[in-house]
Amino acid sequence: MTVTIISVLTAATFILNIFLAAALVFLERRDASSTWAWLLVLFFVPIAGFFIYLLLGRKLRQKKLFKWEEGRKRIGIESLIAHQMNEIHDGTFPFQDVSTKDYSNLIYLHLRNNGALLTQNNHVKIFNDGREKFDALIRDIEQAKDHIHIQYYIFRLDQLGNRIMEALLAKAKEGVKVRLLYDDMGSRSLSKRHFKEFSAAGGEVETFFPSIMPIINPRLNYRNHRKIVVIDGKVGYIGGFNVGEEYLGLNRRFGYWRDTHLRMEGNALYPLQTRFILDWNQASARHDIEYDEAYFPPQPEDGSTSMQIVSSGPDEEWEQIKDGYLKLIHLAREYIYIQTPYFIPDASFYDALRIAALSGIDVRIMIPNKPDHPFVYWATYSYAGQMLRAGARVFIYDNGFLHTKMIVIDDEASTVGTANIDVRSFKLNFEVNAFIYDDKVSMELADMFRQDTELSSELTYEMYMARTRMIKTKESIARLLAPIL
């Protein structure tokens, strides 16, 4: 009898796997690499693999998640986009900095592909230390007069999180409109009950893609990985830091936390504010934000940095931020510096970077020296080692954990934001990056990269080839799973 039950279960599992495999190949129309990766999971772990697929593998339904038609109409976004595209196409766009014109094709790409307006009157301050960044953020919160919009993938109510909440609570009690948006998976230790006093004071809290089940959220993919703060429509923050003590370097496992974040003033606040409102209204069932001129106040015209706020996500047809990364690589003439915690490029990104290195361009990649996700780390190590063969230089950051998502080329153009170099950021998560066309800011980012090399060890091709059999095995397994990590 027992043998019969086992046989039936085995047959049922086999049939289920066949149907699921058929759905992967014929219905979901994924790219070949991720399809093969999921087929391997289903083949080697047929029962557990099915549940892993339910958690990680299902595609997001293609529907318009983010709507704010009234606000977009009032701001006139569509007409501004069309106007900029026409002027760039005709060669009549009044670039504030002549060198920015060299990147007009990239700017046009983001306008056409993402509706990312070019703004040219911005001030940008770069933070690469968590204490400095959060001290500045709290000072700006304390100066708020009208509204505070704050959004993080991870928001912990630890020492740092409580300090920020105290500042937000104080402003809410003063009558400032305070809205906090966090991702349900990234901030899974949080729930609305943690914000009773804040809500009673008039603050509003929303959760992105909340769990439909107690404790467990079955939607592990399609998370909102964005980090956005807008204060009074005049000051904004974007970058890699989340809210938690580890981002201050207080976690013994990671040590010092090396990240990059931007504080911005200028017209770039308009698209950043719009991005927050779109995300908020998607998450909110009862407290949608309606257009108000206070959210888009006049900006001073004394800034000199040109930039675009570019967002991407699984609800879109194209991979906007990845496309911008690729265009930056293609435009590089002298050097390409990349800092990323995860270097798991798809074929298009890997080939673009490989061709750049083989063409004599100085390609330098910096990755962490310790894993926060083991499979991801060994896949990163494998791809970085492979780039050495093409002539790229690889640096292993030894001064703690490297979490920066940054690319800079030729002392002229750069990007900082939330998107890692992996399939998860390119396809599965909702991300946002600033693409910057400014030699001063780009040179500052490049100088930071060079300073970080002094705190790093360089991985040579000979060192990589001398790795142990155990490391080679870990890399091989991680590479097979890379398309779904």
Side-chain angles (χ1 to χ4, degrees), residues 206-253:
E206 293 294 348
T207 309
F208 191 86
F209 279 3
S211 173
I212 58 175
M213 299 168 59
I215 303 176
I216 299 175
N217 192 326
R219 189 154 32 185
L220 297 181
N221 283 337
Y222 314 125
R223 307 314 315 179
N224 197 318
H225 197 232
R226 295 166 182 151
K227 296 95 175 167
I228 295 172
V229 178
V230 179
I231 299 171
D232 290 345
K234 297 178 179 179
V235 175
Y237 286 81
I238 185 175
F241 283 106
N242 286 294
V243 175
E245 290 182 352
E246 65 268 39
Y247 299 93
L248 300 179
L250 299 179
N251 185 297
R252 290 185 179 180
R253 176 187 172 194

Side-chain angles (χ1 to χ4, degrees), residues 63 77 131 376 397 453:
K63 60 180 180 179
I77 290 178
R131 293 181 186 274
V376 174
Y397 184 75
T453 62

Side-chain angles (χ1 to χ4, degrees), residues 293-328:
E293 290 183 357
Y295 299 142
F296 301 92
Q299 302 291 344
E301 296 293 330
D302 57 348
S304 59
T305 298
S306 298
M307 61 196 307
Q308 290 175 289
I309 303 299
V310 180
S311 56
S312 65
D315 59 321
E316 300 287 349
E317 180 179 3
W318 310 109
E319 300 166 29
Q320 291 95 334
I321 293 177
K322 187 195 84 170
D323 289 347
Y325 284 176
L326 289 174
K327 192 67 176 176
L328 268 178

Side-chain angles (χ1 to χ4, degrees), residues 243-441:
V243 175
E245 290 182 352
E246 65 268 39
Y247 299 93
L248 300 179
L250 299 179
N251 185 297
R252 290 185 179 180
R253 176 187 172 194
F254 295 112
Y256 181 75
W257 193 278
R258 172 64 175 89
D259 219 321
T260 304
H261 221 91
L262 306 179
R263 180 188 185 274
M264 304 179 304
E265 296 178 86
N267 280 344
L269 270 295
Y270 293 167
L272 194 66
Q273 181 82 281
T274 301
R275 180 70 270 165
F276 175 87
I277 292 172
L278 288 167
D279 286 8
W280 176 272
N281 286 356
Q282 192 286 325
S284 173
R286 297 171 298 165
H287 304 109
D288 278 8
I289 299 175
E290 297 182 356
Y291 176 83
D292 191 313
E293 290 183 357
Y295 299 142
F296 301 92
Q299 302 291 344
E301 296 293 330
D302 57 348
S304 59
T305 298
S306 298
M307 61 196 307
Q308 290 175 289
I309 303 299
V310 180
S311 56
S312 65
D315 59 321
E316 300 287 349
E317 180 179 3
W318 310 109
E319 300 166 29
Q320 291 95 334
I321 293 177
K322 187 195 84 170
D323 289 347
Y325 284 176
L326 289 174
K327 192 67 176 176
L328 268 178
I329 292 170
H330 293 317
L331 289 169
R333 301 180 301 276
E334 297 178 11
Y335 75 79
I336 302 166
Y337 294 167
I338 296 175
Q339 286 180 308
T340 178
Y342 316 127
F343 184 71
I344 312 177
D346 64 5
S348 62
F349 191 99
Y350 173 77
D351 285 342
L353 207 56
R354 176 183 59 82
I355 292 169
L358 290 171
S359 301
I361 293 172
D362 182 8
V363 176
R364 304 186 190 188
I365 304 164
M366 188 177 293
I367 59 175
N369 74 340
K370 59 186 70 177
D372 61 341
H373 304 293
F375 278 111
V376 174
Y377 178 78
W378 291 115
T380 291
Y381 195 76
S382 173
Y383 280 106
Q386 199 168 330
M387 282 303 306
L388 293 169
R389 293 186 61 191
R393 298 177 68 184
V394 175
F395 296 87
I396 312 296
Y397 184 75
D398 294 324
N399 191 44
F401 186 71
L402 180 74
H403 192 249
T404 293
K405 305 95 167 54
M406 184 274 289
I407 300 177
V408 58
I409 68 167
D410 298 346
D411 285 349
E412 291 181 350
S414 51
T415 179
V416 172
T418 68
N420 298 304
I421 297 172
D422 61 10
V423 173
R424 184 163 297 279
S425 282
F426 291 165
K427 291 186 177 182
L428 300 179
N429 284 342
F430 298 93
E431 308 280 3
V432 63
N433 270 48
F435 281 77
I436 304 161
Y437 315 99
D438 182 275
D439 55 1
K440 182 180 178 182
V441 174

